[in-house]
Amino acid sequence: MFIKWDRNVPLAIMNILVNWYSVSAAVVRWDMLSGTIQLMCGVRQGGVLSPVLFAVYANDIIVALSESGAGCYYDNMFVGCVMYADEILLLSASLCDLQLMISICCEELDELDMRLNLKKS
């Protein structure tokens, strides 16, 4: 599991979150209950903390894109990347910048052990 320690989060809180998510399990109810399934990755869908944790986790993508100089800007504010949940929209005035932005996303996602779903692109 890849954990960023430079988020100014107290170590006690980080330990609680790491422990909480490392012992997560689920059961499926479909007329009856399944056996317990150990959850190995991800955050809980519909969980209160899930959007916040994903935003913290994926923030490096937006930072890297913003620092690249590629993409669209409005009044010196970077608007070349819009994220909602696990969706990402890249805005660029040129194909070369767009390709650079895609490459940056792939590199950052690789660091986070995540992948783009090319079937949805």
Side-chain angles (χ1 to χ4, degrees), residues 24-89:
S24 294
V27 294
V28 176
R29 182 188 314 200
W30 190 270
D31 291 333
M32 56 189 278
L33 291 178
S34 71
T36 303
I37 302 164
Q38 183 70 31
L39 303 177
M40 303 304 288
C41 63
V43 293
R44 295 180 179 122
Q45 186 170 354
V48 175
L49 282 179
S50 297
V52 174
L53 293 174
F54 183 80
V56 168
Y57 199 69
N59 186 61
D60 290 342
I61 299 168
I62 298 171
V63 170
L65 289 168
S66 176
E67 290 175 351
S68 74
C72 294
Y73 288 80
Y74 176 77
D75 203 19
N76 291 326
M77 182 175 66
F78 179 68
V79 293
C81 173
V82 178
M83 290 189 82
Y84 179 78
D86 63 346
E87 307 292 332
I88 186 168
L89 171 68

